[in-house]
Amino acid sequence: MVDAVALVPLFPLLAVLINLLLGRRLSRAAVGILACGALAASFLASVVAVFGLVMAGHGARSFTYTLYEWFGSGSFRLDLGFLLDPLSAVMILVVTGVGFLIHVYSIGYMYHDEGVRRYFLYLNLFVFAMLLLVLGDSYLLMFVGWEGVGLCSYLLIGFWFKKESASSAGRKAFVVNRVGDFGFILGMLLIAVKFGTLS
């Protein structure tokens, strides 16, 4: 049951890919249903994974699902995987549950906007990146999620880019995230040097 954690970020990613490949052929309603369906499936996978973690008992409060070895050199090894523990369990329930409600609200709010397909593409990508951030088994995968969240923040804040206020706000968000990047990279380098791992 805990293995369902691998499906949690998969559904929003699939919605992004389908929207990229077939979005122009889908109606506005179909794009909204696809986006919401992906989040509903992700939330259900989260519930199953968290239930499996709870049923494992107090001795097994942490579960790592390794997809594959990302890279290795000498004694330094980095896996691509997900870590499910009590904190990440709460976070995936919040991200997918609240994210689903935001998606449902957005169907009506964005229905008449000509950029609705692009909006749901950004929103699903944002959720995927957020899930990488909270589930990453290594600081490097967390950093990939952090970068994705920063990119999607820029895209969503500046969504109505023809308005100067939206463009300006998007640029500000982008700059602030770059400051965070510097601290994150510095922290990763210090951890790698001191402990020889980014796990």
Side-chain angles (χ1 to χ4, degrees):
M1 290 178 78
V2 186
D3 289 348
V5 71
L7 299 174
V8 175
L10 178 66
F11 292 118
L13 179 61
L14 287 176
V16 167
L17 296 175
I18 292 169
N19 196 340
L20 274 174
L21 298 174
L22 305 173
R24 295 184 189 277
R25 298 179 190 169
L26 299 175
S27 68
R28 292 168 185 248
V31 169
I33 290 169
L34 170 68
C36 290
L39 262 290
S42 191
F43 178 72
L44 289 176
S46 299
V47 169
V48 170
V50 171
F51 184 73
L53 186 68
V54 170
M55 295 307 290
H58 293 291
R61 296 303 252 175
S62 176
F63 173 78
T64 302
Y65 185 90
T66 303
L67 296 169
Y68 60 87
E69 184 177 328
W70 203 348
F71 62 85
S73 176
S75 62
F76 187 82
R77 187 169 161 259
L78 194 60
D79 292 330
L80 180 66
F82 304 121
L83 173 68
L84 186 66
D85 60 9
L87 177 60
S88 61
V90 170
M91 290 306 297
I92 62 172
L93 291 173
V94 170
V95 169
T96 57
V98 174
F100 172 73
L101 297 176
I102 292 169
H103 277 64
V104 169
Y105 177 80
S106 295
I107 289 178
Y109 186 78
M110 296 296 293
Y111 187 76
H112 296 292
D113 193 288
E114 59 189 44
V116 68
R117 290 174 186 88
R118 183 169 50 95
Y119 174 79
F120 278 113
L121 176 76
Y122 295 166
L123 206 54
N124 278 141
L125 189 60
F126 180 84
V127 171
F128 170 71
M130 183 65 77
L131 289 170
L132 284 186
L133 177 63
V134 300
L135 282 174
D137 182 33
S138 68
Y139 289 109
L140 188 58
L141 186 57
M142 285 177 64
F143 183 71
V144 170
W146 168 267
E147 284 299 308
V149 169
L151 170 66
C152 294
S153 296
Y154 166 73
L155 294 172
L156 287 166
I157 291 169
F159 179 77
W160 287 293
F161 55 87
K162 293 178 182 176
K163 291 169 59 177
E164 178 54 36
S165 59
S167 294
S168 176
R171 285 191 299 272
K172 288 176 187 172
F174 186 81
V175 169
V176 169
N177 274 309
R178 297 302 66 81
V179 173
D181 290 350
F182 176 74
F184 206 128
I185 291 170
L186 187 61
M188 282 196 303
L189 290 173
L190 290 171
I191 289 169
V193 168
K194 180 73 174 170
F195 300 106
T197 183
L198 284 175
S199 295

